[in-house]
């Protein structure tokens, strides 16, 4: 499947671009010939172009549909008591770790307190507040419609507390008095996902509340220079009549049958990156013809369903994400700064949407043990970090267990990850650290180091926030996963 994806993408891109080895650049006074008007396009050609359009546009249609869903919230709060949500131009915040019933995004993190908000920044610039977090790790990940991060707000950047103005690519105005800086998104549609580290202790849960209550966003017209607060812990929940069930996996954000109805919106609102002009020209011609020819439109519906199954769906397997990292793990590549890396953008959007930049976080993930056998929660495993070989980070690290849907399966300990946040991990006499994965306790002495597993296929996922050199240059290797006989 990986070969088929690369071949399809390569053929399409070859058809849409000029290689400098094949043709000289056009003379300055002669425009490059564009796709011809008035043609009769046969279904086979339409499907070839449509296949690449589906792969290329899938993350951006995904973003449109998440925006539409979340901004229906009547006020900032938690949808169904689970998911942060808010009207357009605002954000909602959790007050504790995310729960197993969350289905908005796969591979959630139980080391941070999350927030979420969506914006239309050309139409409505947004103020986002940064409290004084002191020594606590935090980062506000700001995503454009392509799912690339923009701006630099967080502990790794030495961001000052205060007010920051988020604007779109076409916004024109002056920085208001009292605002630290203007942060410009390359696209009008954007979202923010604050992440604030929290220890797994009642003391830190109490200590963090005053800070997260100042993590607030609102339209520029409401800015008065005063820090606003929302008591997130006591904000009434927002009812969800037709809530998605966690047993069904992540909410289906891209519907193949509707994709090409939404795709023109992407072409109209997301400007080409350098080198993408040829893709846009082909895609726009295809959309013009589909609007006039029902046979072409039907061919695109068929290719959308095929591409979803053959190209997008396999990305849910970790072996098709990122690049090998050693010991059977893969690691994220170009996360949240994808540019024209369509392979990794699509893979991340399907499997674990909303990664942080590589300097903020590196992700390591696997579905296999050291022998290459698929991980299954019916078995027991050990994951041992040699002395001094825990992930080298300035922020924090964690090992998370996910079920076959890349979500949490509820357990009696309410424990889904272990790492820096856990102050009671027991190290071995030689200084190494062994974490235990399995359906039954490894014994009272090791229980603090145990991740309970559901009896089904599982994945393991390492996060390294604000990594040091070994994380950034790839010299650090994730540990071997051993099955316990």
């Amino acid at each position: 499947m990986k070969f088929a994806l690369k071949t399809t993408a390569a053929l399409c891109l070859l058809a849409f671009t000029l290689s400098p080895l094949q043709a000289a650049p056009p003379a300055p006074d002669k425009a490059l010939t564009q796709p011809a008007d008035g043609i009769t396009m046969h279904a086979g050609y339409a499907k070839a172009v449509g296949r690449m359009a589906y792969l290329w546009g899938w993350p951006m249609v995904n973003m449109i549909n998440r925006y539409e869903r979340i901004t229906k919230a009547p006020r900032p709060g938690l949808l169904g008591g689970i998911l942060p949500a808010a009207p357009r131009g605002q954000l909602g915040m959790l007050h504790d770790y995310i729960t197993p019933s969350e289905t908005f995004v796969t591979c959630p993190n139980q080391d941070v307190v999350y927030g979420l908000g969506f914006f239309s920044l050309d139409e409505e610039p947004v103020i986002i507040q940064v409290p004084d977090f002191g020594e606590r790790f935090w980062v506000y990940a700001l995503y454009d419609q392509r799912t690339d991060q923009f701006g630099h707000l967080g502990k790794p950047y030495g961001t000052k507390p205060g007010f920051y103005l988020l604007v779109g690519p076409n916004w024109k105005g002056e920085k208001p008095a009292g605002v630290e800086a203007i942060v410009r998104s390359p696209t009008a549609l954007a979202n923010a996902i604050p992440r604030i580290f929290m220890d797994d202790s009642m003391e830190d849960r109490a200590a963090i509340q005053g800070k997260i209550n100042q993590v607030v966003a609102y339209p520029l017209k409401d800015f008065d220079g005063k820090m606003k607060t929302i008591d997130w812990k006591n904000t009434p929940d927002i009812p969800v009549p037709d809530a998605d069930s966690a047993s069904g996996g992540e909410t289906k954000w891209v519907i193949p049958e509707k994709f090409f109805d939404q795709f023109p919106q992407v072409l109209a609102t997301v400007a080409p990156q350098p080198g993408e002009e040829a893709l846009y020209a082909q895609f726009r011609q295809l959309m013009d013809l589909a609007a006039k020819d029902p046979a072409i439109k039907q061919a695109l519906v068929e290719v959308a369903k095929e591409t979803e199954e053959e190209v997008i769906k396999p990305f849910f397997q970790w072996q098709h994400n990122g690049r090998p990292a050693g010991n059977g793990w893969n690691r994220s590549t170009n996360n949240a700064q994808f540019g024209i890396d369509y392979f990794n953008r699509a893979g991340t959007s399907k499997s674990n949407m909303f990664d942080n930049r590589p300097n903020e976080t590196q992700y390591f993930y696997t579905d296999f043990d050291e022998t290459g056998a698929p991980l299954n929660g019916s078995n027991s495993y050990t994951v041992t970090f040699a002395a001094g070989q825990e992930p080298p980070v300035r922020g924090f690290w964690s090992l998370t267990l996910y079920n076959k849907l890349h979500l949490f399966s509820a357990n009696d300990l309410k424990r889904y990850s272990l790492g820096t946040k856990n102050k009671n991990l027991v190290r071995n006499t030689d200084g190494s650290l062994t974490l235990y994965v399995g359906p039954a306790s490894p014994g009272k002495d090791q229980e603090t180091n145990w991740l309970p597993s559901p009896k089904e296929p599982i994945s393991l996922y390492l996060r390294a926030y604000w990594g040091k050199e070994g994380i950034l240059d790839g010299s650090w290797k994730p540990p071997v996963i051993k099955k316990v006989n």
Side-chain angles (χ1 to χ4, degrees):
M1 188 57 67
K2 187 182 291 186
F3 173 79
L5 169 60
K6 290 181 177 177
T7 302
T8 300
L11 288 174
C12 290
L13 287 173
L14 184 64
F16 302 154
T17 58
L18 286 175
S19 166
L21 297 178
Q22 295 172 323
D29 59 343
K30 184 178 181 180
L32 186 67
T33 300
Q34 296 298 300
D37 295 329
I39 65 169
T40 301
M41 184 182 290
H42 63 83
Y45 184 85
K47 292 177 76 171
V49 179
R51 191 172 178 89
M52 184 61 191
Y54 194 85
L55 166 67
W56 178 86
W58 199 93
M60 289 172 272
V61 170
N62 191 320
M63 280 286 282
I64 289 172
N65 291 331
R66 290 176 192 258
Y67 167 87
E68 293 291 342
R69 173 79 171 269
I70 292 302
T71 56
K72 284 183 169 62
R75 52 178 169 74
L78 298 182
L79 284 176
I82 298 167
L83 179 72
R88 187 190 73 189
Q90 301 180 65
L91 62 77
M93 282 292 299
L94 292 171
H95 59 272
D96 202 339
Y97 296 143
I98 205 158
T99 66
S101 50
E102 180 275 329
T103 63
F104 176 78
V105 65
T106 50
C107 300
N109 180 352
Q110 273 225 337
D111 306 279
V112 299
V113 177
Y114 277 113
L116 175 65
F118 281 86
F119 319 122
S120 181
L121 293 175
D122 275 344
E123 183 177 357
E124 192 173 51
V126 166
I127 291 287
I128 193 164
Q129 296 182 168
V130 174
D132 186 351
F133 290 109
E135 295 305 309
R136 187 185 298 274
F137 180 89
W138 68 279
V139 66
Y140 289 5
L142 308 173
Y143 300 94
D144 66 19
Q145 190 170 344
R146 292 178 179 271
T147 71
D148 285 330
Q149 276 184 247
F150 65 93
H152 298 86
L153 299 180
K155 183 74 171 176
Y157 309 111
T159 304
K160 296 179 181 179
F163 304 97
Y164 292 82
L165 179 62
L166 310 182
V167 304
N170 302 309
W171 182 81
K172 296 178 175 63
E174 299 295 325
K175 181 171 73 69
V179 167
E180 292 288 338
I182 291 175
V183 183
R184 189 175 295 271
S185 169
T187 62
L189 191 159
N191 75 321
I193 303 184
R195 294 163 166 90
I196 298 99
F197 177 72
M198 183 177 72
D199 286 350
D200 190 13
S201 68
M202 295 308 295
E203 293 78 13
D204 207 37
R205 280 177 171 81
I208 201 175
Q209 298 304 318
K211 299 301 182 185
I212 63 173
N213 287 348
Q214 293 181 324
V215 181
V216 181
Y218 42 87
L220 174 59
K221 62 182 175 59
D222 296 330
F223 176 60
D224 60 6
K226 298 176 182 178
M227 192 71 75
K228 303 183 190 303
T229 62
I230 296 177
D231 184 357
W232 295 116
K233 190 172 184 179
N234 294 307
T235 301
D237 293 338
I238 301 167
V240 186
D242 301 312
D244 298 304
S245 169
S247 63
E250 184 183 43
T251 301
K252 191 172 183 181
W253 295 110
V254 178
I255 308 300
E257 293 82 354
K258 298 179 180 179
F259 176 88
F260 284 105
D261 294 328
Q262 298 180 289
F263 188 59
Q265 182 181 341
V266 173
L267 299 177
T269 58
V270 180
Q273 296 187 112
E276 286 190 325
E277 293 82 2
L279 282 175
Y280 273 68
Q282 296 287 336
F283 294 160
R284 284 174 174 147
Q285 180 190 51
L286 181 65
M287 291 296 92
D288 288 345
L289 291 171
K292 302 170 186 174
D293 186 340
I296 295 295
K297 179 64 181 294
Q298 183 57 39
L300 292 181
V301 171
E302 292 171 7
V303 82
K305 292 189 289 186
E306 293 168 3
T307 309
E308 179 70 30
E309 287 298 311
E310 298 171 6
V311 180
I312 300 298
K313 188 175 179 180
F315 279 126
F316 205 70
Q317 301 170 44
W318 292 125
Q319 62 185 324
H320 299 312
N321 277 263
R323 59 165 65 100
N327 293 328
W329 299 74
N330 273 25
R331 67 180 287 161
S332 53
T333 304
N334 295 331
N335 32 311
Q337 51 178 33
F338 299 106
I340 57 171
D341 184 351
Y342 307 135
F343 178 88
N344 280 297
R345 188 194 307 276
T348 299
S349 294
K350 174 59 180 176
S351 60
N352 54 326
M353 187 94 157
F354 302 126
D355 278 1
N356 290 87
R357 286 190 185 97
N359 67 297
E360 295 172 5
T361 316
Q362 268 297 321
Y363 305 86
F364 302 84
Y365 26 69
T366 186
D367 295 319
F368 304 105
D369 67 16
E370 63 173 337
T371 70
L375 296 172
N376 193 293
S378 299
N379 303 321
S380 295
Y381 303 91
T382 60
V383 182
T384 299
F385 300 87
Q389 287 300 305
E390 292 165 34
V393 293
R394 295 177 180 85
F396 63 89
W397 70 268
S398 65
L399 175 71
T400 303
L401 186 153
Y402 295 116
N403 62 23
K404 63 183 179 182
L405 302 171
H406 291 184
L407 297 170
F408 299 137
S409 285
N411 61 68
D412 291 340
L413 296 181
K414 298 182 179 179
R415 183 186 297 163
Y416 310 100
S417 68
L418 291 169
T420 305
K421 67 175 182 177
N422 304 100
K423 304 307 180 185
N424 58 350
L425 294 178
V426 178
R427 283 165 175 75
N428 302 318
T429 55
D430 63 356
S432 62
L433 175 65
T434 298
L435 303 182
Y436 300 87
V437 174
S441 170
K444 198 67 176 176
D445 291 347
Q446 289 84 32
E447 200 162 279
T448 57
N449 294 25
W450 172 42
L451 286 174
S453 61
K455 294 182 178 181
E456 62 180 61
I458 59 172
S459 296
L460 291 177
Y461 197 106
L462 269 167
R463 288 176 171 84
Y465 268 76
W466 199 7
K468 294 181 180 178
E469 184 176 355
I471 295 292
L472 297 176
D473 65 16
S475 60
W476 181 84
K477 303 297 182 188
V480 169
I481 302 170
K482 291 182 177 292
K483 182 181 175 182
V484 178
N485 295 318

